[in-house]
């Protein structure tokens, strides 16, 4: 009787290019890129080109589907920065993108985001929704908040020198102790705004 000693073969892992990986996950290449940059997906950059393990992506999908996980990086993907569903994560994404050199963040909605203590000089939040956001102690020199919704936002002890808030809504916002040197403060609505202890010099109203 002839016996065979066959070994169970181990499936060979397939390496995917970005377009293939995106198709496998059912997402766009932009969403895939954002996910990798945020550390949500496993990938390796070889000679300037991303490569993905199909087995690794399958494991990721299994873990997400079996642990009620979500994929926040699939939602509201926009440009070079990642925006998820939660204010804290959105703010973190903006801060990381700013540190990487990005300055232009127009039309965002980051209600309640926390940026306390950050140096965000020159950042552009043109017409962004920043209701209830906190910028306490921030350096916001030459920052742009034109047309932004800053209702109930907090700017305590923030440096807004040369910043532009023209047309912004600052109702119930707190600017206590803020520095407003050469700031364009021609806001549209400011009822209830707190300006206690503000340092004002050459401000435009």
């Amino acid at each position: 009787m002839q016996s065979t000693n066959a070994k169970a073969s181990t499936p060979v892992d397939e390496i995917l290019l970005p377009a293939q990986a995106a198709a496998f996950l059912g997402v766009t290449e932009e969403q895939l890129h954002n996910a990798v940059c945020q550390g949500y997906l496993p990938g390796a950059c070889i000679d300037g080109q991303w490569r993905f393990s199909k087995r690794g992506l399958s494991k990721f999908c299994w873990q997400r589907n079996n642990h009620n996980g979500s994929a926040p990086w699939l939602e509201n993907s926009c440009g070079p920065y990642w925006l998820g569903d939660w204010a804290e994560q959105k703010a973190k994404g903006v801060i990381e993108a700013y540190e990487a050199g990005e300055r232009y963040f127009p039309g965002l909605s980051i209600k309640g985001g926390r940026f306390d203590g950050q140096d965000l000089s020159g950042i552009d939040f043109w017409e962004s929704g920043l209701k209830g956001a906190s910028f306490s102690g921030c350096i916001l020199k030459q920052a742009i908040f034109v047309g932004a919704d800053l209702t109930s936002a907090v700017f305590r002890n923030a440096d807004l020198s040369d910043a532009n808030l023209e047309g912004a809504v600052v109702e119930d916002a707190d600017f206590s102790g803020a520095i407003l040197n050469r700031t364009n403060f021609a806001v549209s609505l400011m009822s209830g705004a707190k300006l206690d202890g503000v340092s004002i010099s050459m401000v435009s109203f």
Side-chain angles (χ1 to χ4, degrees):
M1 184 176 185
Q2 190 175 7
S3 64
T4 59
N5 189 19
K7 277 188 179 179
S9 60
T10 302
V12 177
D13 192 12
E14 185 178 350
I15 304 302
L16 306 179
L17 296 175
Q20 296 170 316
F24 177 76
L25 293 172
V27 300
T28 66
E29 287 191 54
E30 181 184 13
Q31 290 170 328
L32 179 78
H33 176 74
N34 289 336
V36 174
C37 290
Q38 289 298 319
Y40 280 94
L41 286 177
C45 189
I46 303 173
D47 294 330
Q49 178 69 273
W50 281 100
R51 299 287 189 273
F52 301 90
S53 160
K54 188 173 183 179
R55 187 182 301 165
L57 295 181
S58 296
K59 181 179 179 181
F60 166 82
C61 291
W62 181 88
Q63 289 174 333
R64 180 165 62 88
N65 292 335
N66 287 276
H67 293 85
N68 286 326
S70 61
W73 45 272
L74 295 181
E75 302 173 20
N76 300 320
S77 173
C78 184
Y81 43 89
W82 169 77
L83 299 176
D85 280 341
W86 301 277
E88 182 178 351
Q89 291 173 323
K90 287 183 178 182
K92 181 181 177 182
V94 169
I95 292 169
E96 290 177 351
Y98 179 91
E99 291 174 346
E102 181 65 37
R103 295 293 181 271
Y104 192 51
F105 302 90
L108 300 187
S109 178
I110 315 180
K111 296 179 181 179
R114 300 189 66 85
F115 301 89
D116 299 331
Q118 297 292 323
D119 184 346
L120 300 174
S121 298
I123 197 165
D124 189 343
F125 279 125
W126 183 286
E127 295 187 346
S128 288
L130 298 165
K131 185 175 183 178
S134 183
F135 295 90
S136 291
C138 279
I139 299 176
L140 294 163
K141 295 179 179 180
Q142 298 182 325
I144 296 174
F145 292 96
V146 174
D149 183 359
L150 302 173
T151 303
S152 300
V154 179
F155 291 90
R156 292 175 187 163
N157 302 311
D159 188 347
L160 287 153
S161 298
D162 299 298
N164 189 350
L165 284 77
E166 184 175 358
V169 176
V170 298
E171 289 184 305
D172 298 315
D174 188 353
F175 291 90
S176 300
I179 299 173
L180 302 178
N181 293 336
R182 299 173 303 279
T183 303
N184 184 344
F185 209 73
V187 298
S188 62
L189 296 170
M190 62 177 296
S191 62
K194 297 178 181 178
L195 298 169
D196 301 331
V198 169
S199 175
I200 298 177
S201 175
M202 300 176 66
V203 174
S204 300
F205 289 97

